[in-house]
Every structure is written in structure tokens, then in C-alpha cells.
Amino acid sequence: MAASSNGFAVVDESIEPLLLKNDVFRGESSKAEEDEAGVEGVVNYRGEKIVNRSKYGGWKCASILIGVEICEMFAYNGIASNLMTYLTGPLRQSTTTSAENINVWHGVVMMLPVLGAFVADSYLGRFHTIFLSSLIYILGLGLLTLSATVPSLGLPVSPTNNLSSTSSSFQILFFFLSLYLVALGRAGYKPCTEAFGANQFDGRNPQECKSLSSFFNWWALGLCLGSGISNLTLNYVQESLSWKLGFGIPCISMVVALVFFLLGTRSYRYSVKENQENLVMSIARVFTLAAKNWRSRSSPSLTSIEEAEIGNSDHVPNNAHQFKFLDKALIMSNDLVGTIKPGISCSITQVEDAKALLCLVPIWFTCLIYAVVYAQSSTFFTKQGNTMERSIGALSIPAASLQIFISLSIVFFIIIYDRLFVPLARAFSGKPNGITMLQRIGTGMFLSTLSMVVAAIVEKKRLQTAIDFGLINMPKATIPMSIWWLVPQYILFGLADTFTMVGLQEFFYDQVPGGLRSIGISLFSTIFGIGSFLSGFLIFVIEKVTNKNGQHSWFSDNINCAHLDYFYWLLAALSATQMVSYLYFSKSYIYRRGTSMGY
């Protein structure tokens, strides 16, 4: 590779045919040759290059990490799924306040992974970030258990109803500090564990590339298994036995997760940075220099951009003609020529990486309403269920336990998707995964919209039943309507997640530059963080608008006088609008070439 007169790197003409020939015949290499070449970009625990693929990484290590995630999801869901019951029960908060607090906390949980991913990709590495985050996670869960155990910190319990008679400001403060410490621990844990698991497969190897695609499906399966077991057991323990035990078991589960994670230390593949430069800062520099040079009329010649850095498949650009204003970051001002310090200017690769991230913004933005809808399953759905007939014989089902139908439907449909749908779709489309990632996401959006329509219809029937039996002004009375009426909307949630949730994880992992995989996973997470904030803000605005002149608001504490059905219809309309805009932007999206899923 030589330098051209304009300062850009170009491929030597005598080398280019060899590069192209190597690219064409790469797929015909024998397994022996692949093993001899080793796995690029990763090392073993000793820092040595990995030559034997079967000894390090692969499904053996990925399975360990999926097991670790099952334990983590069991712990997290055991806390998150029943917060509505805890806040409106022992902590004595109103329905609106509880929903807002849960949405804010969930938003923080989903936003903080950006910070954790930055620390991992830029400084500590994924393994060490997972380890340190696990310790913080365990500490947060331990303090949460302490808040319900120590008399001076815990909630005084009435022997008859297991509810707090009072809730002091200090008790509430201690509880939320512990809860947000859990969020901080999960910030580094969540994006890094999934990205670290995906790192156990080589996207350049055809066989491992297929395994990498399946990994995201089975990862989602593990999430559902962990949350499903949690819904079956912990929600019952919390409501029927004690909250301190219901918080303590998740803490033990995270300890088990950490132990299992450390057991695989000698078998993992660890990413190694060939370029020690901070990729996040280099991309930020592209935007900074492009802004400084925005008035410049001159523009660097990019006619040979497709040839530049052709030897690095992860950076082969496909968006040279998009966001051309970023090309101005390549311009070097005359007063800086000869004086600029090494590393201050931008390379073509850095500009193209910045363009790749910018291409993700429209897709990210048009998925926010999906996240707003997603937030309702752990808040208002649970509140509805608490008013309905929940008994099976002598056993009363916790309303939050119905979230298990989300997990069960994901488990069921993801197996069908991976083993039946993908092979059939692949036969027709010729695409490695049957349908594109964006098609998968769009399908889930449609199902999410449908779930809100069903939820609105069911809630209307619940309200009508309350009217028919004269229970409107009796918020604590059980409405003679089975809680099983809520199951269809939960199943539709699970089916939507099978397409959109998994598709978004795969999309944001695959479409970011190779050194920013954790950042990519965290970008997926921020969709649901911002979505939770938007949900809380929407609830706040609607509460203020509808709670006038002494009228009951849509979110009245007496849910029989509320209008959750109106809220669900509003979300259905917003979801339909979102889907139209998503289709517009996804149609023009250009996938990055040279990526592991490249289609």
C-alpha cells in the first residue's frame, strides 16, 4: 500500500490483483488451511494467537455465557417484573408515580450500557468490564435485600397483609439507591456479555458465521428461560412469602453467574486491538473536523475510495456517497500542513466508520415507539391483572407472573424461527438468514401494533364488566373476569420480540465498525432506555391533561374509573405511524459490506 500525492492511502496496482484473487478464492480454503491460519483478531487467555479453533471459543464457550445470562436475567427480572406491585403495595406509591418511577429506572438501566460499552471498548476490555460490573451488580442486589431485611432499613410489615404501614423518606431513598446501583452494575454487564459471547465465533469463517447468526437466537432463548423461571417462582415468593427472600434469591443467582463466568476463563477467545487508538474518540474527531471545515469549498478526491484499504474487509465502505459532508474531515487546512501532529488528521476508514454509525440513526429513531409499547408489560398490564380473577383452585396467581407468556412464546417461536422459518425462507430468498435484519425488525413492529389493539379491546371489556357488576367505585374488589383474557396480548408481545428484539440486537451488533461491538449492543439498549423515558413522559402529560375539573384521569388509582383502553389505542396509532416511517428509512438503508452477516 502506497501513499498518493493527496495524502490518502491507495492500493498498489501490482498488489491489487493478488488481493482480489485472494478474496475470490477465500471460500475455497480447506479446513486445514483455516486452522493453520488461526483466528484473526483474538487471542487466548495467555495472549497467544489462537490456531486451534476447536480448543478456544465456539459453542462451548458461548453456551457458558448463555448459561451466565440465564442466571443474570433470572435475577434482573425477579426485581424488575414485580416492581409495580412493590411500589404500589409496601412503598404505598400511587399508580401514576409508580409507573413513572419504573419507567425512569428502566430508562436508566437501558441507557447506562452506553457508558459501560465505552469503558469496555476503549479501556478495560469486555472480560474485565463484565467481572467488575458483576461485583457492583451483586452489591446492589445485596443492599436491596438489606433494605427489606434490617428493621431500621426495611419496611415494617403488617402481619395480616404483608404491607408496609408507613414508608419513611429514608426507607424509600435507601431502596432506590440500591435499585440504581443494580442499574449501574448492569450497565457494564449487559452489552459486554452479549458482545463477548458473539466474539467466540469468527465471522470470517463460513461455518462459524452461520453459528454466529444462530447465537443471537439462542441468546434470546436464554433470556426468556431466565425471565420465565423468575416469573414462575420469584413473583410468588415475593407476594406470598416475603420480599426479603424475593430480593435475596436474585442476589444469589448473580453470584452463581459470576462463578460460571470465571470457570470459562481459560477457554474464551479474547479480542485484541491491533490498533490501540480509541475508536470512539477517532470517530468523534471526524465530526469535529468536518464541522470545522464545513465552510471549505474544496473537497478531497474520493474516486478511489472503494480501493482504499481493500485488504481490510471490515472497513470496505458501501456508503461513500452518503453523508458527504463528513468527507470534509479529510481536508487539511493550509495553515496546519507540516505542523499538524500525528494522529490528529482523519483517515478514510475513520470517515467511513463515522458514516456507518450515522446511517443507524434513522433506524434507531423509528424504533422508539416500539420501546414505549414494550414498557407497558411490566406496569399497566400488571395493574390490570391485579383487579381480575386470578385464582386456580386455592392458589392465587401473581399478576406479574403472566409475563411468563412473553418468555414462553419467545422460546416457542424462536425455535420455529431458527429451525423451520429460516431454512424455508433461505430456499426462496437465497439470503443466509432467510430474510434481512430490517425485514425481521419490521415484522415485529406490525405484531407490536396488533398487541396494542388487542390490549385496548380486552381493557374495554374489563371496564364494561366492572360497570355491569357495579364495581366501578370498588377498586379493591375482584372483577369477575379471568386474568387469562390478558394472555393473547402477552403472547403477541413475545412474538413481536422474536422478530424485533432479536433483530435489533443482531442489526446493531453487525452494522457497527468491528472495534465497537459493545457500543453497537448498547445502542440497541438505548432504544429501550429512551423509550422508557418517553413512556414516563407520555404518562405524565396525559395525567396532567386528563386529570382536570375533578375528573378521573386515564391512569386513576381506581383503575376501574381509568381509561387504559384509550392509552392503548393511542399507542396503537403511534405504532402504526412509526411503522410507516420505519419502512421509508429501511427501504433506503444500505448494509455494510464485509460484515459477518453481510446481506
Side-chain angles (χ1 to χ4, degrees):
M1 183 175 290
S4 67
S5 59
N6 61 8
F8 301 131
V10 298
V11 179
D12 190 288
E13 293 182 357
S14 62
I15 300 177
E16 183 175 1
L18 294 177
L19 290 172
L20 295 175
K21 181 178 180 181
N22 179 65
D23 188 58
V24 171
F25 291 102
R26 177 182 295 178
E28 299 179 6
S29 300
S30 65
K31 184 177 185 303
E33 290 172 338
E34 288 175 353
D35 287 341
E36 184 178 352
V39 185
E40 296 181 11
V42 293
V43 294
N44 62 17
Y45 71 101
R46 293 194 184 97
E48 302 168 342
K49 182 178 180 180
I50 294 177
V51 177
N52 187 346
R53 292 178 181 271
S54 61
K55 188 175 181 181
Y56 299 98
W59 277 114
K60 175 180 64 178
C61 292
S63 298
I64 293 175
L65 293 167
I66 290 174
V68 167
E69 184 58 20
I70 290 174
C71 292
E72 187 275 333
M73 197 61 191
F74 174 86
Y76 172 76
N77 197 67
I79 302 299
S81 66
N82 213 15
L83 272 181
M84 192 69 173
T85 302
Y86 191 75
L87 294 182
T88 57
L91 287 189
R92 297 293 192 183
Q93 294 189 337
S94 68
T95 300
T96 303
T97 301
S98 298
E100 290 174 354
N101 283 334
I102 292 172
N103 282 320
V104 170
W105 176 73
H106 190 259
V108 171
V109 168
M110 303 305 280
M111 289 296 295
L112 278 180
V114 175
L115 176 62
F118 173 76
V119 171
D121 286 345
S122 302
Y123 300 105
L124 296 181
R126 287 161 196 154
F127 179 86
H128 292 98
T129 302
I130 295 170
F131 176 72
L132 293 176
S133 297
S134 297
L135 296 179
I136 297 174
Y137 206 148
I138 292 169
L139 176 62
L141 291 172
L143 292 178
L144 204 61
T145 306
L146 188 66
S147 72
T149 303
V150 180
S152 60
L153 297 175
L155 300 172
V157 177
S158 167
T160 58
N161 58 15
N162 197 33
L163 295 181
S164 163
S165 57
T166 59
S167 298
S168 70
S169 298
F170 178 74
Q171 291 165 346
I172 294 175
L173 178 62
F174 188 85
F175 172 80
F176 277 105
L177 284 176
S178 304
L179 200 61
Y180 278 93
L181 193 59
V182 170
L184 181 61
R186 205 170 194 254
Y189 187 95
K190 193 61 179 178
C192 295
T193 309
E194 185 171 359
F196 191 61
N199 289 156
Q200 306 308 308
F201 301 98
D202 181 11
R204 301 179 183 88
N205 178 276
Q207 189 61 38
E208 291 196 21
C209 182
K210 292 181 180 179
S211 296
L212 177 59
S213 179
S214 292
F215 167 77
F216 288 101
N217 289 330
W218 290 102
W219 181 267
L221 191 69
L223 295 180
C224 297
L225 185 59
S227 60
I229 296 174
S230 176
N231 288 329
L232 277 177
T233 57
L234 286 181
N235 292 337
Y236 177 80
V237 169
Q238 290 164 349
E239 294 189 32
S240 302
L241 299 179
S242 71
W243 284 99
K244 61 183 178 183
L245 188 60
F247 290 154
I249 294 175
C251 184
I252 296 173
S253 179
M254 271 306 301
V255 173
V256 173
L258 179 58
V259 171
F260 271 101
F261 173 71
L262 294 176
L263 287 177
T265 302
R266 293 175 177 267
S267 302
Y268 296 138
R269 295 178 184 178
Y270 300 87
S271 297
V272 58
K273 294 183 179 179
E274 297 177 0
N275 182 358
Q276 295 299 319
E277 184 179 19
N278 189 316
L279 290 179
V280 176
M281 299 308 295
S282 69
I283 291 176
R285 186 167 64 247
V286 171
F287 288 99
T288 301
L289 292 179
K292 287 182 178 179
N293 297 331
W294 74 277
R295 290 186 177 181
S296 176
R297 295 183 179 180
S298 61
S299 178
S301 175
L302 298 178
T303 56
S304 61
I305 196 170
E306 291 277 353
E307 300 170 355
E309 305 183 25
I310 196 172
N312 187 352
S313 62
D314 188 51
H315 291 98
V316 177
N318 65 342
N319 47 19
H321 302 294
Q322 293 179 303
F323 307 112
K324 296 191 72 173
F325 65 91
L326 289 179
D327 295 338
K328 292 182 180 292
L330 298 168
I331 300 173
M332 185 179 294
S333 303
N334 292 331
D335 57 337
L336 293 178
V337 176
T339 63
I340 195 166
K341 296 180 181 179
I344 298 300
S345 60
C346 293
S347 68
I348 292 175
T349 297
Q350 291 168 341
V351 171
E352 294 308 315
D353 284 348
K355 289 182 178 181
L357 287 179
L358 205 56
C359 285
L360 300 177
V361 173
I363 303 300
W364 181 93
F365 186 78
T366 53
C367 291
L368 290 178
I369 299 300
Y370 178 87
V372 174
V373 172
Y374 178 83
Q376 309 315 314
S377 64
S378 60
T379 53
F380 292 125
F381 282 14
T382 300
K383 191 67 177 177
Q384 286 174 265
N386 282 328
T387 69
M388 302 170 75
E389 178 59 53
R390 297 181 287 143
S391 60
I392 299 181
L395 181 66
S396 180
I397 305 171
S401 293
L402 257 65
Q403 294 176 55
I404 192 175
F405 285 99
I406 298 178
S407 303
L408 290 176
S409 58
I410 293 176
V411 170
F412 178 74
F413 289 117
I414 213 166
I415 293 175
I416 293 177
Y417 183 90
D418 193 64
R419 298 304 179 188
L420 183 61
F421 177 80
V422 170
L424 288 175
R426 185 186 295 144
F428 286 97
S429 67
K431 299 181 184 299
N433 288 348
I435 58 176
T436 67
M437 291 177 279
L438 291 176
Q439 288 172 341
R440 182 174 188 174
I441 295 168
T443 302
M445 284 186 174
F446 170 77
L447 293 169
S448 175
T449 305
L450 185 60
S451 72
M452 283 294 97
V453 173
V454 171
I457 294 173
V458 171
E459 173 60 9
K460 180 64 176 177
K461 178 173 178 56
R462 192 192 69 83
L463 292 175
Q464 188 59 50
T465 303
I467 293 173
D468 294 342
F469 284 85
L471 302 176
I472 287 294
N473 296 316
M474 301 173 64
K476 294 185 178 181
T478 299
I479 295 175
M481 178 178 173
S482 174
I483 196 173
W484 302 116
W485 277 88
L486 298 177
V487 171
Q489 61 203 55
Y490 280 106
I491 291 178
L492 283 170
F493 259 54
L495 185 55
D497 284 353
T498 302
F499 286 90
T500 298
M501 184 78 76
V502 181
L504 283 172
Q505 293 180 63
E506 186 178 2
F507 178 77
F508 281 98
Y509 175 86
D510 189 67
Q511 295 297 298
V512 297
L516 299 176
R517 300 301 196 194
S518 297
I519 293 290
I521 296 296
S522 67
L523 284 176
F524 150 76
S525 179
T526 59
I527 293 175
F528 295 89
I530 297 296
S532 292
F533 290 140
L534 288 176
S535 177
F537 177 74
L538 194 59
I539 291 170
F540 173 79
V541 172
I542 293 174
E543 173 71 13
K544 292 296 182 183
V545 172
T546 60
N547 190 20
K548 291 182 178 180
N549 301 322
Q551 296 180 347
H552 290 286
S553 74
W554 287 10
F555 311 114
S556 173
D557 287 341
N558 181 358
I559 196 174
N560 295 336
C561 295
H563 277 292
L564 291 181
D565 54 333
Y566 293 173
F567 182 57
Y568 294 153
W569 281 119
L570 175 62
L571 291 182
L574 291 174
S575 297
T577 304
Q578 163 205 244
M579 193 161 55
V580 172
S581 61
Y582 172 82
L583 292 174
Y584 173 80
F585 286 111
S586 62
K587 185 177 180 180
S588 60
Y589 183 83
I590 304 174
Y591 290 94
R592 295 177 66 238
R593 293 201 305 271
T595 57
S596 59
M597 314 279 185
Y599 44 80

